[in-house]
Amino acid sequence: MKMEQWPMVKSEFQKEKGFDASSSSSKDEFTIALSGNANVGKSVIFNQLTGSNQIVGNWPGKTVEKAQGKLYFQGQKIHVIDLPGIYSFSTFSMEEIVSREYIAYEKPDVVINVLDASVLERNLFFTLQLMEMEVPLVVCINQVDIARQKGIIIDEKKLEKALGVPVVSTVAVRGEGLRKLIEKAVKAADKPKKIPEIIKYGGEVEKRIQNLSEMIRSKKTSLNYSNRWMAIKILENDPEIIKNIKKESPEIISYANQLAYEIEKIHQEPSFAVMASERYTLANLIASGAQVQTKIDIPFSERLDKILTHPVLGYFTSALVIIGLLLWTFTIGDFLEGILSNAFSFFQPVDPQFSGAITAILWNGAFGGIVAGVTLIIPFVIPFYLMLSYIENSGLLTRVAFMMDSFMHKIGLHGKALIPLILGYGCNVPAIDSTRILETRRERLLAAFAITFAPCAARTILILGLVAIFVNIWWALALYVLDLIIIVIMGRLALKATPGESTGLIMEMHTLKLPSFSVILKQTWARTKSLIYLVFPIYIVGSALIQAFYAMGVLEPVSNFMAPLTVGWLGLPAFAGVLLIVGAVRKEFILLTLVSFVGTDLTLALNTTQFIVLAIVGMLYLPCFSTIAILIKEFGWKAASLITGANFTTALVVGGLFAHILPYFL
């Protein structure tokens, strides 16, 4: 690899610690994988090590996010891979499959297992599984500062002796201990691969693991996993490993079934539960021998935690967090949107142009698309992501998800799905993208379906511009309540139409803390960047084409064709068909096009009922092009078509009912 492919982009950690280019290793290029539970600080360590020299994408053929970066340290070029945060190497989630396959098949030179010092025993459960895989390992005890606040002190030497692998304590948010961590990792990677010493389980279990390991070794299977790890996974009844082994050697499975039966007979419980119990027992012994608990006053974070998860008060605090997030987004967003819109209007009006030279129409449409992207992403999405990152990294979001779990189960989801659903109020595109945090495709599909009904920033502009201004603010708020009711009803219908079991909520409740501002900024930029790449091209091209089609007379016949629906059923003016067509690109175009037709006094064209009905239909009738694009990308054409059809049908049914009922009340 040429040196110019490795630019000397140094992170703040590198700058502060005075990295140099002198090599003390015989190898000049290797790979480090960061692995561990969620919320242990892996991403902070990754950002500190790689700085701006990162690439974020997807694992090949998977919907799980892949983060990789480069570190130039003491003359060595180091690939750093941030594996998904997981709790085990089962096959219950795509993240777990991705992590174990990467370690087994890509064989990184060393795995850094990041642990949270304040919950050492819980994290060691995963460490023992990594050791079963027999990979070169360095253990990083992170967040030792938070552990000290809880009166927990970890003895590195004792833990290192118990595990038989190098152990380093760090405070990643401040860069403390990271240089020593990398030095240990470099040293481990430079040597011939040293496998961690085997930590043995209870006698009757260990004997059967070793017997099965020997049989697997003698059969010489083609799987890249360690024999011991495969033996344990078979005894745990891991379906993927059993399927692969059975293809090559059915007798291994027969023998394993016999051994599993013997274990179950001795312990009077399923073998997978016995294996888990063995790990927890060892984790408890190792943790209790390596840590000391001192007496301290109950910290403020724990007192606050009791309020946030209280059976009654927790619902109020959760509601306050969600309302605060939305108020922050819309207050800041409205202020910034006004400034940016005025700035663009100074250069060129952004109203749709439907006559004149085709080049002028295309340019006006493209410019309008740029303006729409800028006036949506900067004012609404960036503040939303900033606050969401703060809530997420502080630990507040997991408490909200925990409290809302029972409600979310009503639509076949669990509390964790609330996170992407809240994101949908900023923009549906990143919200659907973030459904990757859910365990199964079914849950992701149900969550994405619910998200398409969430009123994003563009729909909010439509509701405010049509109803809040020309009817009253109470009707505008009523539409939000109506939307929530529709989300629940449609979620229930989708649940009945989608077979399968809902999984329980298993989520790390990490300690409440003040998050690092640099982490919040990096997280916000990573999310915003991916949104820009997807949304901007669709906004620009879509806006230009819609205006060109209208100018060429293509849209008017379609609008006339839609008249039985728009005029007959929905009770809207004849030109409403054009409004709904242009609104498919971006919802606020409904408002802009309406203004271009009748001027700023919209009461000349619409009555009170029509304002409300047009807002309802515009809010529900179709996801925008960008949302449809991300649905196709994540779930395929069939699912995207069904979701789009459900949105359209719901809009027509609800809009038509309101069109016929409202005149009796207004």
Side-chain angles (χ1 to χ4, degrees), residues 79-148:
H79 299 268
V80 184
I81 308 293
D82 186 14
L83 295 175
I86 58 175
Y87 300 92
S88 72
F89 281 129
S90 66
T91 53
F92 295 130
S93 74
M94 190 61 72
E95 286 85 353
E96 291 168 335
I97 294 171
V98 161
S99 292
R100 80 185 201 180
E101 286 184 354
Y102 176 81
I103 292 173
Y105 290 95
E106 299 300 324
K107 297 192 179 301
D109 293 281
V110 64
V111 175
I112 295 179
N113 176 212
V114 185
L115 282 67
D116 181 348
S118 62
V119 284
L120 181 63
E121 181 182 338
R122 190 192 311 166
N123 284 194
L124 281 171
F125 181 80
F126 180 65
T127 305
L128 292 171
Q129 294 177 71
L130 273 170
M131 297 180 75
E132 289 163 3
M133 291 193 83
E134 299 180 359
V135 295
L137 195 64
V138 173
V139 170
C140 168
I141 307 296
N142 193 34
Q143 300 177 350
V144 292
D145 55 333
I146 295 173
R148 286 193 207 102

Side-chain angles (χ1 to χ4, degrees), residues 217-232:
R217 184 178 291 108
S218 67
K219 296 294 181 182
K220 297 181 180 178
T221 61
S222 62
L223 297 183
N224 280 7
Y225 300 105
S226 77
N227 296 321
R228 179 178 176 83
W229 187 83
M230 284 192 287
I232 292 171

Side-chain angles (χ1 to χ4, degrees), residues 185-201:
V186 168
K187 190 175 179 182
D190 192 44
K191 292 179 178 177
K193 290 199 175 180
K194 180 188 174 185
I195 349 184
E197 294 177 14
I198 293 175
I199 297 182
K200 295 184 178 180
Y201 297 115

Side-chain angles (χ1 to χ4, degrees), residues 449 452-453 459 486 490 558 561-562 565-566 569-570 577 580-581 584 587 616-623 628 640-656:
F449 180 67
T452 58
F453 289 98
R459 289 167 174 170
I486 289 170
M490 295 307 294
V558 179
F561 176 77
M562 294 170 62
L565 280 177
T566 54
W569 171 244
L570 297 174
L580 297 182
I581 293 169
K587 291 296 186 286
I616 289 172
V617 175
M619 178 177 74
L620 298 173
Y621 81 107
L622 278 181
I628 294 172
S641 300
L642 288 171
I643 291 173
T644 302
N647 276 253
F648 188 71
T649 304
T650 304
L652 292 183
V653 171
V654 176

